[in-house]
Amino acid sequence: MASTSPVHVTVTGAAGQIGYSLLFRIASGQLLGPDQPIVLRLLEIEPAMQALQGVVMELDDCAFPLLAGIEATSDLKVGFDGASWALLVGSVPRKAGMERNDLLKVNGGIFRPQGEAIAANAASDIRVFVVGNPCNTNCLIARSHAREIPDDRWFAMTRLDQNRAAIQLAKRAGVPVSDVANVAIWGNHSSTQFPDFENATIGGRPAPEVIDDQAWLQGEFITTVQQRGAKIIEARGASSAASAANAVVDSVRSIVTPTAPGDCASLAVISHGEYGTPEGLVFGLPIRSTGGTCHVVEGITHSDFAQQKIAATTEELESERAAVADLLG
């Protein structure tokens, strides 16, 4: 049952494209339910504060019954004060000519102090969900500076990839996307991720039985999911915003509500060695929730093909961790 006391939700990068697409859905009750009042704590960098004030005015003008308050700030302490959810959306995007390692280090300058501020100021029940890319390793950096917060409170977003994979399977099978279940994204939210078609189901049957086209499954399906973000940038001249915001809502809902039988949610979590993944990496895995606690789905088997794909994304995440070793607390 939802609390009648407002839950404080921090959103970083709140005036950005994803933030703008996300805030109205949070305030309307789609994130934590139709009976849960919310205080939005909106964090931005100083140059974006004027734009953020415009967003605040629009939120006010919606007159959302559940929106119990708004705090707009560029101060980390104020931004995370009393927060039960920290949605870390803001990050520095990759620019032309920028190497991935450079991007990791630049974002380390954002996520290190955010981790420290969360540890010092957030509520005792804080849960942290990292959206800003490269989200797996940004989550690793933030978490390393807030080690007193339990491992099971940290998440990074692979749900957008799960949604992308599910709709591709549905379209290929000619069925509604609601027929597709148990789609896991393994590893990094990057072009090395492995969308697991082998263990997905369509109408309760194994996806490879319904889509009897191994070449498509092992080829075009995977590359379409891996490269979808780049294709959207190419098409609209900007990165995914509304679909990313939707995946944030889906992710939080998958954490706070029980997982349906025969299904899983794809979330990047701190690895404790599941499926041979290296300890401490923030790794995309299939998750089930009781509505209170989350756990990694056990007993999944992988073909040699899948194992090779998972090994490649594991190697990339290990190289990212090595690249930011000096930023880890």
Side-chain angles (χ1 to χ4, degrees), residues 20-99:
Y20 186 76
S21 296
L22 175 63
L23 294 177
F24 301 89
R25 297 189 63 181
I26 298 174
S28 70
Q30 293 180 50
L31 190 81
L32 297 179
D35 301 314
Q36 179 58 67
I38 283 174
V39 171
L40 282 172
R41 311 192 73 85
L42 308 181
L43 191 60
E44 259 298 358
I45 57 174
E46 194 59 43
M49 287 303 294
Q50 182 175 339
L52 183 58
Q53 288 304 321
V55 177
V56 170
M57 286 188 274
E58 284 204 76
L59 284 163
D60 281 342
D61 292 350
C62 289
F64 289 117
L66 292 174
L67 187 53
I70 305 172
E71 183 74 55
T73 184
S74 60
D75 184 309
L76 291 176
K77 180 180 185 300
V78 175
F80 292 112
D81 186 34
S84 292
W85 278 94
L87 308 179
L88 307 187
V89 176
S91 64
V92 174
R94 190 168 182 172
K95 299 178 177 64
M98 182 182 282
E99 295 295 328

Side-chain angles (χ1 to χ4, degrees), residues 5-19:
S5 299
V7 170
H8 289 240
V9 178
T10 299
V11 180
T12 73
Q17 285 201 80
I18 296 173

